[in-house]
Amino acid sequence: MQKLLILQSFHRYVPTGEFRTVTKPGGGQERVELERKEVLVQSTTVEVGDELATDWIAKGLARTTGGASTGDTATAV
């Protein structure tokens, strides 16, 4: 886990662990996992896994914090 400072506000969709059965256009049924929208606001500090941290840093969305958090603290999954 790494602590990151969010440089640009963005959102992502994360799975909730809940499922729903929906009817497909052809008449069959499919089980789909529900997702929720998670908004990450500029200047907040979040703790995320190494893979997400690397991806967000590469895209310029976040940078690692040098120690003590600045701003609000939120936890991302």
Side-chain angles (χ1 to χ4, degrees), residues 16-66:
T16 62
E18 297 178 35
F19 292 86
R20 180 182 350 187
T21 302
V22 296
T23 303
K24 295 181 353 181
Q29 291 191 341
E30 181 178 17
R31 189 171 183 233
V32 295
E33 186 169 13
L34 301 177
E35 296 179 327
R36 69 177 168 79
K37 184 177 181 179
E38 179 180 77
V39 178
L40 297 147
V41 182
Q42 183 178 6
S43 299
T44 58
T45 304
V46 296
E47 192 169 335
V48 296
D50 293 336
E51 189 174 313
L52 273 179
T54 301
D55 185 44
W56 292 356
I57 291 168
K59 291 178 179 176
L61 298 172
R63 68 176 165 90
T64 57
T65 59

